[in-house]
Amino acid sequence: MSTAIWVVIAVVVVAAAVAAVHLARTRSRTRRLKRRFGPEYDRVLRDEGGRAAAERELRSREQRHEELELRELDPRRREEYHDQWVRVQERFVDTPEAAVEQADGLVTVVMGERGYPTHGFEDKVAHLSVEHGRTMEHYRRAHAISGRAASQEASTEDLRQAMVHYRALFEELLAAPGRERHGRHAADGPAAEPAAEAATEPATGPAAEAPPARTPSAETRRS
């Protein structure tokens, strides 16, 4: 064969090798991002309309996340915040709207103490999703219900669900170092349904499910 043919073959082989390496790196990056962000990967994929754009957004979140000075809570502070959550949960019985508002505020306070931004809901989600991607759908649903509650458009059951959704993120933020990825939400697959979990999960653990709101008794109504 002539030299020109050998040159063409060499170029084709090199191009194929480069393409294979690029494909392997792309697939490896995709697997890593899916593992890290969980269901958030699929949501961003839908929002961005394509894998390349979605992965650029997620890598951008990772870069911004690296600039944060995150810190763990010491055991005393974790216990204090747990006690505050219990008190908020107890208030749900008599004042569910106020309890949901306080739950939102408490989650935000813990975010701030951990070193996360606390202004702008989408900005909070973007930063939290890097380490807590599996609970972002809980946080979004809680935020949506809180918005309806502010307009007096949320039912008591909606408010109870909001407490459960806030609890999911609260527990992760409060977890001792090394436990964030090993809690019950770490096992949720990309298609996990927070509402279903809220309806079936037993009321156990440090931040148990919100109790039902108190309704007037028959005797009180007659009076």
Side-chain angles (χ1 to χ4, degrees):
M1 287 188 290
S2 67
T3 301
I5 293 176
W6 280 114
V7 170
V8 170
I9 292 174
V11 169
V12 170
V13 169
V14 170
V18 170
V21 170
H22 176 72
L23 180 61
R25 287 179 176 174
T26 299
R27 287 177 174 174
S28 176
R29 182 180 63 226
T30 297
R31 287 194 298 268
R32 180 185 67 79
L33 291 170
K34 284 184 175 181
R35 284 196 304 269
R36 181 164 207 179
F37 287 91
E40 187 70 7
Y41 181 98
D42 296 319
R43 184 184 183 91
V44 175
L45 183 64
R46 291 193 302 270
D47 291 346
E48 295 293 333
R51 182 185 56 77
E55 294 188 357
R56 280 196 300 271
E57 165 62 21
L58 295 175
R59 292 200 305 275
S60 173
R61 293 186 188 186
E62 288 181 321
Q63 291 169 357
R64 284 177 285 160
H65 182 267
E66 289 174 1
E67 298 172 359
L68 300 177
E69 295 183 3
L70 299 179
R71 50 197 172 270
E72 301 292 347
L73 299 175
D74 63 49
R76 179 182 60 84
R77 292 297 286 162
R78 285 198 296 271
E79 187 64 25
E80 288 175 357
Y81 282 130
H82 160 248
D83 291 344
Q84 288 182 45
W85 179 269
V86 171
R87 290 194 293 272
V88 169
Q89 193 167 265
E90 289 170 348
R91 294 187 189 110
F92 184 88
V93 175
D94 293 313
T95 55
E97 293 89 351
V100 168
E101 183 178 356
Q102 290 164 6
D104 181 28
L106 183 55
V107 167
T108 301
V109 167
V110 176
M111 281 183 208
E113 186 153 341
R114 289 288 311 274
Y116 287 102
T118 57
H119 298 288
F121 178 72
E122 291 302 329
D123 193 44
K124 289 189 286 186
V125 167
H127 283 91
L128 286 166
S129 66
V130 178
E131 294 294 336
H132 306 283
R134 297 183 183 279
T135 53
M136 286 303 94
E137 190 62 21
H138 286 284
Y139 190 35
R140 284 191 176 93
R141 293 190 182 197
H143 180 73
I145 295 171
S146 292
R148 297 203 304 272
S151 303
Q152 303 295 312
E153 297 175 355
S155 68
T156 300
E157 176 58 19
D158 290 336
L159 297 170
R160 188 190 70 82
Q161 292 289 333
M163 291 293 290
V164 175
H165 292 315
Y166 277 128
R167 182 194 70 191
L169 178 57
F170 180 80
E171 286 181 342
E172 280 209 359
L173 291 170
L174 224 61
R179 290 183 54 196
E180 288 89 343
R181 294 292 181 184
H182 302 287
R184 59 175 167 272
H185 300 292
D188 291 350
E193 278 292 335
E197 177 194 10
T200 60
E201 193 171 60
T204 59
E209 184 173 319
R214 180 173 296 161
T215 56
S217 66
E219 186 174 313
T220 302
R221 288 194 297 270
R222 286 196 299 270
S223 63

